[in-house]
Amino acid sequence: MQFNINQHIMDAAKALGLLCLAILIFLGSCKKPEYPIENSQSYSKVFMQLASNGVVNKSLPIKDEWVSMPFGAGYGGLDLATQNIEVGFQIDQAMITAYNEQNNTNYELPPQDSYRMTSPSVTIAAGHAGSNSTALEINALKLAGTKSYLIPIHINSVQPNIPVADGLETTYFIVNGFYETNPFVPIPLTGWTVHDFSDDDYDAIGGRAPYCIDGDVSTCWLSTYRRVNNWRPPHPHYVTIDMHMEHLLHGITLFGRRGASNAYLFPKNVRVEVSDDGTSWRDAGLYSIAASSEDTSATMYFEKSLVCRYFKVTVLSSAGNGDTTAIAELVAF
């Protein structure tokens, strides 16, 4: 009886082994189905990776140094590249025109000596999906102000001839400089006069328009604050300064009237204009400024440095949103 049970177990084990072997043979004979794609290379594209991020914004401290912004090219498709791909770039003025028309802007290229590419081309090595890097370099000091500029870098050549992905052929860099501290020396007030002004008023601290260029922040120009027939002039209030010779202006520092109780008089929205003759004016900027009782000064840097003889400061509104304003001193640099 014992012999028959053992034989039965051995026969079952053999049968199981044969079944497993048969399954393995069957599975080994099955192959993964292939679905060949005709002309698969036609799906390959070259592109700029940064173009997918939209516009690249870069604010740079204004210093005499070159700052690098790397970029390159990518390759995608059903097949790996079998040979090196050379991708060339250019900075195209026509792309600025198209961008401005599409976005209702008025960007320009920066001054010619303020930007450069370290190399106009990159290489995507065979079997790789990305290239080496080149870079856009900017010298913010040579931007000559705080104006924002547009630099479009566009793929203009691919060798061998591989299509460029639609919408990923151009990267737009918007660059501008900013001053960490004011590097400019104030222009001396000697000989300056008030050429024109909207209104003023007398007061214990002066009040008349010339007090904003007397070199003393404890005196002040005040707009007319006394009411006549329950009326006084509202904003805007302006003062025009004649420097009596031409200067290269980079900006203006405005000092408000001192004292916490006078904070409501501090200019809030200000327009600055410049002129060669005191009649025809060029815009130098529209500024929203603020001050505190500890520091009543506000510095307004021009987007572009301007040569002029006259400058005009127009206060469009003041901190207290009332009718009146005050300027203790104007410093041009």
Side-chain angles (χ1 to χ4, degrees), residues 92-101 107-109 150-152:
D92 191 348
Q93 174 64 48
M95 302 301 298
I96 295 182
T97 302
Y99 183 95
N100 284 336
E101 289 176 353
Y107 286 112
E108 305 171 359
L109 275 174
L150 180 67
I151 305 175

Side-chain angles (χ1 to χ4, degrees), residues 32-326:
K32 183 178 180 179
E34 296 181 359
Y35 303 100
I37 298 176
E38 184 177 353
N39 197 22
S40 61
Q41 290 185 344
S42 66
Y43 294 92
S44 299
K45 303 282 185 182
V46 170
F47 55 91
M48 291 189 74
Q49 298 97 326
L50 284 181
S52 64
N53 297 333
V55 174
V56 178
N57 289 281
K58 191 72 173 179
S59 292
L60 306 169
I62 295 177
K63 299 177 182 178
D64 189 11
E65 63 182 18
W66 290 92
V67 177
S68 180
M69 289 173 278
F71 65 91
Y75 170 84
L78 299 175
D79 302 319
L80 293 175
T82 58
Q83 57 183 310
N84 289 351
I85 303 170
E86 301 295 326
V87 181
F89 302 98
Q90 68 175 356
I91 296 173
D92 191 348
Q93 174 64 48
M95 302 301 298
I96 295 182
T97 302
Y99 183 95
N100 284 336
E101 289 176 353
Q102 183 176 358
N103 296 279
N104 194 29
T105 53
N106 59 351
Y107 286 112
E108 305 171 359
L109 275 174
Q112 191 170 6
D113 64 345
S114 67
Y115 67 96
R116 65 193 182 193
M117 280 193 289
T118 55
S119 172
S121 64
V122 294
T123 301
I124 302 173
H128 289 74
S131 71
N132 61 312
S133 291
T134 183
L136 172 65
E137 294 185 328
I138 303 292
N139 187 315
L141 183 65
K142 298 178 184 293
L143 295 176
T146 61
K147 181 180 177 68
S148 293
Y149 295 96
L150 180 67
I151 305 175
I153 297 184
H154 182 72
I155 295 177
N156 71 325
S157 66
V158 181
Q159 294 294 333
N161 189 20
I162 298 172
V164 180
D166 289 341
L168 297 177
E169 61 274 80
T170 306
T171 299
Y172 294 93
F173 293 88
I174 294 179
V175 300
N176 72 281
F178 67 91
Y179 294 101
E180 294 179 305
T181 57
N182 191 344
F184 302 108
V185 177
I187 298 170
L189 299 172
T190 305
W192 286 19
T193 59
V194 171
H195 174 70
D196 188 20
F197 63 96
S198 58
D199 55 286
D200 64 3
D201 214 332
Y202 62 90
D203 191 89
I205 59 165
R208 299 304 188 186
Y211 283 102
C212 70
I213 52 169
D214 66 349
D216 184 357
V217 295
S218 64
T219 61
C220 199
W221 163 52
L222 296 171
S223 67
T224 301
Y225 64 89
R226 291 177 173 86
R227 297 181 184 272
V228 177
N229 296 326
N230 203 34
W231 181 89
R232 62 187 173 194
H235 290 91
H237 305 286
Y238 69 86
V239 62
T240 302
I241 307 302
D242 183 357
M243 298 180 288
H244 289 275
M245 63 182 299
E246 288 190 338
H247 292 280
L248 177 64
L249 258 60
H250 307 281
I252 291 171
T253 296
L254 180 156
F255 290 83
R257 184 174 180 177
R258 289 179 167 181
S261 62
N262 297 311
Y264 73 99
L265 294 170
F266 194 85
K268 182 170 65 174
N269 294 301
V270 175
R271 176 185 291 116
V272 181
E273 300 166 278
V274 299
S275 175
D276 301 322
D277 58 9
T279 302
S280 300
W281 296 93
R282 290 170 283 154
D283 183 44
L286 183 64
Y287 304 90
S288 294
I289 59 179
S292 66
S293 57
E294 291 79 22
D295 181 8
T296 64
S297 67
T299 297
M300 300 170 282
Y301 296 102
F302 295 170
E303 285 191 342
K304 297 177 70 174
S305 301
L306 298 167
V307 176
C308 62
R309 171 176 164 175
Y310 301 83
F311 67 89
K312 180 178 182 180
V313 176
T314 301
V315 180
L316 303 174
S317 65
S318 296
N321 297 317
D323 293 330
T324 52
T325 193

